[in-house]
Amino acid sequence: MRSFTNVQDDEEKRPYNDDGNGDDNGNNDVSVGGCVKIGTPPFFIINKYYYICVGYIMNNTNPNGMRIKNIIISAMLALLANSSIDAQERNIFIGNALNRTNICLNGKWEYVLDPFRTESMGNTQIYRNAVPRDKSDRVEYSFNPAQTLWVPGSWNTQKPELMYYESNIWYRRLFDKPDLDDSKRYFVYVGAANYLSTVTFNGKRLGRHEGGFTPFCYEVTDLMKKEGNFLIIGVDGGRRADRIPAEVADWFNHGGITRDVLLVETPKTFVSNYYIALDKSTLNSKVRKINGTLLLSGKDMPQTARVQIPELKIEKSVSVGTDGKTDFTLDAKRLQLWSPENPKLYDVRIIAGSDTISDLIGFRTIETKGKQILLNGEPVFLKGICLHDENPLRRTRANSIEDARLVIGWAKELGCNFLRLAHYPHQENLVRLAEKEGILLWEELPLYWGIQWHSPKVLEKAKQQFKELIDRDYNRASSIIWSIANETAVVPDRNKFLSELADYVRSLDSTRLLSAACKKDQGRDGHPDAVYTYNDPIMQKLDIISLNEYLGWYGGSPAECRDKTFKMGLEKPVIVSEFGGGALQGLHGDKETVWSEEFQAYIYEESIAMFDKIDGLSGMTPWILCDFMSPLRQLHQVQDGWNRKGLISEKGMKKQAFYVLKKYYESK
Ligand code: GCB
């Protein structure tokens, strides 16, 4: 029988914990968040050529003045050639890319490893796609014949030798476009690549994108050829102190191009994105209002665009000014609201010149009143579960509609109407399927352990990642909560950072609620207190107080749940955003035997009973639906690289706790 008397500090028992001081020892990547045009960081380019030149000079055992001079001149010329791209606006966000005319570039891509991140080998940049001109020519890398990786996919789980690889890989995709059309524009769209991507096309650098979970695009119109196009993307999968996430996280760092890659084709002037939502102040009106913003890209402006919702007999002309942007309002009579019980979606069409884009959009409101969350004006209890964006059966990143169906099927069987998409933006397929299936969503950024809160650069990265997520999912009725951080220590730099981020997110989107998974005040004291209090200052900025609490697993015993009460300083709804414990599916013992299914079920029983008494409890998302890959979990024969807190094993087998939670949700 296990004794719990010697269990000390819950926080200290974790494999790693946020001390609130992200170390400042990361390298200084030049790109500051998001799509960065090449040329934005001139020092990087100059440094790189300097490095190549100096490297050559230093290493050349037979120095030849002329040769070195030529190399320097050609490097400077290459620098000038590159900077001519700087002037061009290449990166632009394209919303709803999956539903546009496109060529899917998924499949087998050739690759070259670049473990030292030199970007060039034998003095030739890898993105030049060089091949020896003749038998005496020397090129020190090759895509032909090359090794291949599937895109989308995590490189780690495709080849044993790449399992823990975290440096650079250059991917290449060749394609022809025989029907190349001069009246069109072309964009490379990447659903996500983890973490830092250098995008090049037909030998030109287009830019760098930072952030492993959000989409980005670059325009390639004037570089396209009918034959022999080569798209080369270098992906650096490294963890760094100045990245988001930072160096240590309790999930597997799946590197590479992990989501779809498309070549999107648009008219010269086209609808690049739109933001459409029900105006919550008109919820109870007979004629409700739908607010929208439309963004056009191209030269054909000003012009008139049309917005249609045929099923509601809505057709509205809107004038778009020279800035390519306009706001509009639609009057909607007899609008059916979107809800989990009735996930009604309307076909919304936007027509601008020769461009037509359509999307299935649901209309709902979400707000709080006192300690309640109101969906369409009615209190809702969020019966949720946390999720990582992995398919445990395939043991890799999720990246398809089938992967999304698998987890949504399990969540529905559990009785859920809500998912917490932890700890970073999940694949768009999942968000869209959730909308069709009536599942509400919490979405978040990896603002997790060890973030450099003091760094303005890191704050910019966080803003950029949020912007990209909102650009992608603003129109999704399923998505109701933006969470700005997970379990971060309350220190002044972090409070300032998160406060500014909260304001920023609200300035982009006022149609959703804000939350963050917070810690109790009794941080490092184990579990002696009978009353848990919550006074994290960031809660002032949030709509919902969310808390992670592992009493019974990280310290304390499940039985102690009976003695605890919770005291929130604020009149706001509460979500228990994490609780749980680990169990190896198939391992049985009595309810005090750690790692047994019985022990996990016991934690669930006691925790649920404890949390259910919280005044203002509006939902819970226990940790977690499925066992997930984590390098922090190495207990042999129990974990073997898996965090075992799932209710379902990596083989798809349900553990006892699954049924404990299901029973509770059936009763709610
Ligand atoms: C947490 C973290 C989550 C971990 C979990 C655990 O509090 O938010 O990312 O995986 O605990 O298993 O310890």
Side-chain angles (χ1 to χ4, degrees):
M1 183 134 127
R2 191 188 139 111
S3 152
F4 290 96
T5 47
N6 59 353
V7 175
Q8 296 151 10
D9 183 325
D10 66 334
E11 306 299 333
E12 276 166 11
K13 283 191 69 78
R14 299 188 175 216
Y16 182 88
N17 202 11
D18 181 37
D19 60 1
N21 296 310
D23 288 333
D24 202 358
N25 57 2
N27 85 344
N28 280 329
D29 278 315
V30 285
S31 116
V32 181
C35 297
V36 180
K37 272 185 292 172
I38 187 72
T40 311
F43 288 115
F44 174 75
I45 300 168
I46 290 166
N47 281 342
K48 194 153 67 73
Y49 282 94
Y50 173 82
Y51 167 78
I52 291 165
C53 296
V54 172
Y56 181 85
I57 295 165
M58 301 302 280
N59 293 331
N60 199 340
T61 50
N62 181 19
N64 166 328
M66 272 310 287
R67 181 92 201 274
I68 292 169
K69 209 170 95 195
N70 287 345
I71 286 171
I72 293 172
I73 289 169
S74 57
M76 295 319 279
L77 285 175
L79 172 58
L80 283 176
N82 257 324
S83 58
S84 70
I85 312 170
D86 301 354
Q88 297 179 36
E89 179 69 43
R90 288 211 187 275
N91 56 303
I92 165 180
F93 190 86
I94 298 189
N96 194 10
L98 301 170
N99 287 322
R100 294 174 189 260
T101 305
N102 67 60
I103 297 176
C104 177
L105 297 177
N106 292 347
K108 270 187 180 177
W109 291 44
E110 296 93 12
Y111 73 92
V112 171
L113 280 191
D114 179 14
F116 291 172
R117 300 181 173 92
T118 53
E119 297 200 7
S120 69
M121 287 185 181
N123 292 343
T124 309
Q125 283 122 331
I126 295 166
Y127 71 83
R128 299 272 182 216
N129 196 27
V131 282
R133 280 183 302 272
D134 52 42
K135 67 180 182 186
S136 55
D137 196 18
R138 173 187 54 84
V139 176
E140 298 198 36
Y141 65 83
S142 173
F143 285 104
N144 299 310
Q147 316 162 82
T148 56
L149 283 167
W150 282 101
V151 170
S154 135
W155 65 49
N156 316 72
T157 51
Q158 295 188 48
K159 306 214 163 174
E161 65 273 25
L162 297 179
M163 185 65 186
Y164 289 106
Y165 187 76
E166 293 192 310
S167 192
N168 237 20
I169 289 189
W170 292 84
Y171 288 77
R172 185 188 74 173
R173 178 71 154 87
L174 299 175
F175 65 92
D176 295 335
K177 179 72 181 136
D179 57 346
L180 190 64
D181 184 341
D182 284 348
S183 69
K184 303 287 187 204
R185 291 170 72 184
Y186 296 93
F187 298 85
V188 169
Y189 174 92
V190 181
N194 189 26
Y195 172 86
L196 179 65
S197 305
T198 305
V199 184
T200 77
F201 188 72
N202 287 345
K204 304 271 190 230
R205 288 175 67 109
L206 304 180
R208 289 187 130 190
H209 175 268
E210 179 159 358
F213 303 96
T214 44
F216 52 93
C217 357
Y218 289 96
E219 180 157 16
V220 293
T221 308
D222 52 352
L223 300 172
M224 285 283 291
K225 300 183 290 186
K226 287 193 169 179
E227 282 176 6
N229 293 294
F230 56 95
L231 171 61
I232 296 183
I233 304 180
V235 184
D236 171 359
R239 291 166 293 109
R240 295 256 190 286
D242 66 346
R243 293 184 173 177
I244 304 172
E247 287 180 307
V248 182
D250 187 15
W251 66 83
F252 194 86
N253 183 30
H254 292 283
I257 305 178
T258 51
R259 296 189 187 143
D260 298 331
V261 183
L262 309 173
L263 180 77
V264 177
E265 180 181 300
T266 72
K268 287 282 183 212
T269 296
F270 72 103
V271 180
S272 56
N273 209 1
Y274 45 89
Y275 307 82
I276 298 177
L278 184 59
D279 179 340
K280 58 176 175 258
S281 69
T282 67
L283 177 67
N284 298 317
S285 315
K286 207 163 169 214
V287 180
R288 295 182 173 123
K289 300 224 178 281
I290 293 171
N291 295 328
T293 297
L294 192 57
L295 297 183
L296 264 55
S297 168
K299 296 204 175 96
D300 195 7
M301 263 156 323
Q303 68 157 278
T304 303
R306 282 179 296 143
V307 184
Q308 304 173 335
I309 308 182
E311 199 180 330
L312 293 172
K313 301 196 172 42
I314 291 177
E315 157 105 40
K316 174 138 187 173
S317 291
V318 295
S319 306
V320 186
T322 42
D323 62 352
K325 186 176 170 193
T326 192
D327 296 331
F328 61 86
T329 301
L330 308 173
D331 290 338
K333 285 186 206 152
R334 288 182 290 280
L335 177 78
Q336 282 184 55
L337 298 172
W338 183 98
S339 69
E341 298 72 36
N342 179 28
K344 170 71 188 161
L345 300 177
Y346 288 95
D347 182 12
V348 178
R349 289 183 205 158
I350 303 169
I351 300 149
S354 59
D355 193 30
T356 302
I357 177 100
S358 69
D359 202 349
L360 289 172
I361 298 183
F363 299 99
R364 53 99 189 105
T365 61
I366 191 82
E367 54 200 324
T368 63
K369 190 170 166 211
K371 294 188 172 183
Q372 290 182 321
I373 299 176
L374 305 181
L375 176 69
N376 300 326
E378 300 292 329
V380 62
F381 186 80
L382 301 172
K383 298 185 252 184
I385 188 79
C386 290
L387 190 71
H388 265 293
D389 201 19
E390 271 181 2
N391 177 332
L393 305 183
R394 294 200 298 117
R395 297 167 182 227
T396 191
R397 265 272 169 273
N399 54 27
S400 66
I401 188 82
E402 291 73 27
D403 290 342
R405 271 199 198 106
L406 178 76
V407 288
I408 287 197
W410 280 331
K412 287 203 134 187
E413 191 184 335
L414 189 57
C416 293
N417 60 8
F418 182 53
L419 285 174
R420 175 182 175 202
L421 306 186
H423 280 300
Y424 41 76
H426 285 217
Q427 60 153 337
E428 189 174 351
N429 288 312
L430 179 70
V431 179
R432 285 186 174 266
L433 187 65
E435 186 169 48
K436 286 200 186 108
E437 295 287 328
I439 299 278
L440 298 155
L441 299 176
W442 154 314
E443 297 199 66
E444 73 189 69
L445 285 201
L447 287 160
Y448 193 84
W449 303 335
I451 296 292
Q452 289 186 344
W453 303 115
H454 61 274
S455 162
K457 256 176 68 179
V458 175
L459 177 59
E460 280 316 302
K461 293 178 194 191
K463 289 182 177 174
Q464 183 66 36
Q465 290 189 22
F466 247 121
K467 172 138 187 13
E468 289 168 350
L469 176 59
I470 293 171
D471 281 346
R472 192 192 75 176
D473 289 350
Y474 184 94
N475 299 311
R476 305 282 70 84
S478 50
S479 177
I480 54 166
I481 295 170
W482 298 131
S483 172
I484 57 168
N486 177 72
E487 258 187 16
T488 50
V490 179
V491 293
D493 281 341
R494 167 270 196 189
N495 301 345
K496 199 163 155 272
F497 181 115
L498 290 183
S499 165
E500 192 172 331
L501 187 64
D503 292 341
Y504 177 74
V505 173
R506 280 200 204 276
S507 75
L508 296 181
D509 185 359
S510 59
T511 69
R512 289 181 172 79
L513 304 175
L514 278 198
S515 197
C518 297
K519 299 184 185 189
K520 60 182 181 286
D521 302 337
Q522 295 73 12
R524 292 203 156 266
D525 299 329
H527 296 277
D529 310 77
V531 184
Y532 289 167
T533 55
Y534 291 81
N535 287 296
D536 181 343
I538 197 62
M539 292 181 344
Q540 302 278 354
K541 289 265 180 173
L542 307 175
D543 299 303
I544 301 171
I545 300 171
S546 298
L547 55 104
N548 293 357
E549 178 52 58
Y550 283 89
L551 173 59
W553 182 258
Y554 291 122
S557 77
E560 287 173 49
C561 290
R562 299 187 180 186
D563 309 327
K564 307 293 178 195
T565 52
F566 291 74
K567 200 159 169 255
M568 311 297 161
L570 299 167
E571 268 292 294
K572 296 190 181 189
V574 177
I575 291 179
V576 178
S577 40
E578 282 180 38
F579 72 89
L584 180 65
Q585 185 275 320
L587 184 76
H588 295 286
D590 63 23
K591 66 179 189 179
E592 285 170 355
T593 305
V594 74
W595 303 115
S596 70
E597 288 195 37
E598 287 75 8
F599 185 55
Q600 187 190 37
Y602 179 39
I603 292 178
Y604 267 68
E605 278 159 10
E606 296 295 343
S607 305
I608 289 171
M610 170 177 71
F611 296 130
D612 197 47
K613 290 188 285 208
I614 295 179
D615 180 26
L617 184 75
S618 295
M620 58 171 70
T621 52
W623 190 254
I624 180 170
L625 184 64
C626 304
D627 288 353
F628 61 96
M629 297 166 66
S630 172
L632 299 187
R633 311 290 174 173
Q634 298 297 344
L635 180 62
H636 186 43
Q637 294 186 338
V638 174
Q639 295 174 312
D640 295 312
W642 292 83
N643 183 313
R644 293 288 180 202
K645 296 190 190 72
L647 297 177
I648 300 177
S649 75
E650 82 282 19
K651 297 193 177 73
M653 305 292 288
K654 293 175 188 104
K655 307 179 193 173
Q656 289 179 12
F658 181 95
Y659 298 99
V660 176
L661 185 62
K662 183 174 162 71
K663 196 165 153 215
Y664 173 66
Y665 284 161
E666 280 164 1
S667 75
K668 286 305 267 187

